Amino acid sequence: MTQIQDKPLAAAGRRAKTAGRLGRPSMFSMLLRDKFATVAAVLLSVVILIAIFGPTLMGELATKQNLMFMNKPPFDPANGWAYILGSDSLGRSMLARLVVATQTTLLVAVPAVLVALIIGSLWGVWAGYHRGRRENISMRIADIIMSFPSLLLAVVVLFVFSPSAANIVLILAITRIPIYMRTARAESAELQSRTFVDAARTFGTKPNSIILRHVIPVVTPTLLTLATLEFCFVMLAESSLSFLGIGIQPPDVSWGLMVAQGRQYLQTAWWLSILPGLAIVITAVAANVLAAWMRIATDPAQRWRLTLDKQTKKSLTAVIKDAK
C-alpha cells in the first residue's frame, strides 16, 4: 500500500523538480494560475483605472442635477447609459457619482497606507536591528498609540479639528504606523542573527548599509502583504467616518458618504446606499484575496504551491486523501 502511494508522490515530486530546473516562474505567471487572485487583481486594476481617468470623463455629469430624473431605478435602458445605475434624489447620475467617489476614496486610503508603511517599516527595521534601548522606546510608543482604538481616536480628532481629507489621511496614517513598526521590528530582529548579516558585519559594512541592502529587501514582501490588508481597513475606516458625518464633506463625495446620504431612502430608493456599499465590499474582498495570494507568492517556503501544474496538484491531492 505504501509503495502504491509513493509512486504518484514520487512522480509529482519529479514534475515539481523539472519545473524548478526550467526556471523560476514570474509573479505574473503564478498569478494567472490562481483564478481567484487573477479576478481580484483585475477588479482592483479596474478600480484604479476608474479612479484615475473616470472623474475627467464624468466629473461634470456627477454634479449635474436633473429634477426630471429624480430617484430613477437602475438598469433601465430607457433612461440612457448615464443613468444605467439610476439617479439620486437630485437627479444626478449614480454611475458618475460612483466614479468620482472612487477617486476620493482611494485618495484617502492609498496615501494613508503609504505614509504608515514607509514610516512604520523604516522605524521598525531600525529599532529591530539595533535592539536595546532604541527598541524598547520604539515599542512603548507603539503600545501607547495602539492603546487607543484607531477609529475612536479618529472620531475625537476630527470632531476637534475640521473633517477634511488631509486630516483623515493624517490621523489614519498615525494610528496604523504601529502595525508596520511591530511587524518590521520582529522581522529585523530575527534577521540580525542570520549568517549573511553576520558576514556583512564582519567585513565592516556599516549598519545603515546592512539595513538597506540586506534587511529591507527581505522584510519588504511581508510588509507589502500587510499593506494590502491595511488598505481594506483604512478604506472601511474612511467610509465609516464619512457615514458618521465627520469624514468627506459635500460637495466632495466618497463611497461612505453616498451610503450615508442614501440611508433615508432605503425603502424607496435602495440603490442609493446599496450600490456604493457593494463597491466597498467588492474592493475590500478583492484586496483581501490578493493579499492572501501575495503572502504565498512572496514566501520562498510556500511559493511552490503556486508553481505546480494541475496534474501535479491532482496527484498530490490523491496521495493525501489515500494517506488519510
Side-chain angles (χ1 to χ4, degrees), residues 68-248:
M68 300 296 294
F69 279 80
M70 293 174 53
N71 290 339
K72 288 289 184 180
F75 313 119
D76 187 357
N79 296 329
W81 67 270
Y83 296 92
I84 193 64
L85 295 182
S87 62
D88 63 0
S89 58
L90 296 177
R92 295 172 296 189
S93 170
M94 282 293 296
L95 175 62
R97 288 178 61 78
L98 281 172
V99 168
V100 175
T102 302
Q103 185 183 70
T104 305
T105 301
L106 293 189
L107 284 178
V108 172
V110 174
V113 170
L114 289 179
V115 171
L117 171 64
I118 295 173
I119 296 177
S121 300
L122 294 179
W123 192 351
V125 168
W126 172 80
Y129 179 83
H130 291 287
R131 308 298 296 271
R133 185 174 61 181
R134 303 175 188 180
E135 181 186 25
N136 292 331
I137 295 175
S138 299
M139 290 302 100
R140 298 298 78 76
I141 294 175
D143 291 340
I144 292 173
I145 297 175
M146 294 187 67
S147 62
F148 298 95
S150 57
L151 191 58
L152 178 60
L153 183 61
V155 170
V156 173
V157 172
L158 292 175
F159 262 121
V160 176
F161 300 96
S162 59
S164 62
N167 289 338
I168 296 174
V169 171
L170 181 61
I171 189 62
L172 290 179
I174 292 175
T175 56
R176 307 316 293 173
I177 284 177
I179 305 297
Y180 300 96
M181 188 194 305
R182 293 170 69 92
T183 304
R185 194 275 308 175
E187 294 278 343
S188 179
E190 193 272 334
L191 290 173
Q192 187 190 25
S193 59
R194 292 285 187 91
T195 304
F196 63 92
V197 176
D198 287 336
R201 194 183 298 112
T202 302
F203 282 105
T205 306
K206 296 181 179 180
N208 291 338
S209 298
I210 294 176
I211 292 174
L212 291 175
R213 297 179 182 179
H214 302 289
V215 178
I216 290 181
V218 176
V219 304
T220 296
T222 301
L223 294 174
L224 289 179
T225 304
L226 179 61
T228 307
L229 292 173
E230 284 294 299
F231 168 78
C232 301
F233 176 86
V234 173
M235 183 182 65
L236 294 174
E238 181 277 326
S239 300
S240 301
L241 293 173
S242 298
F243 183 82
L244 294 174
I246 54 176
I248 301 299

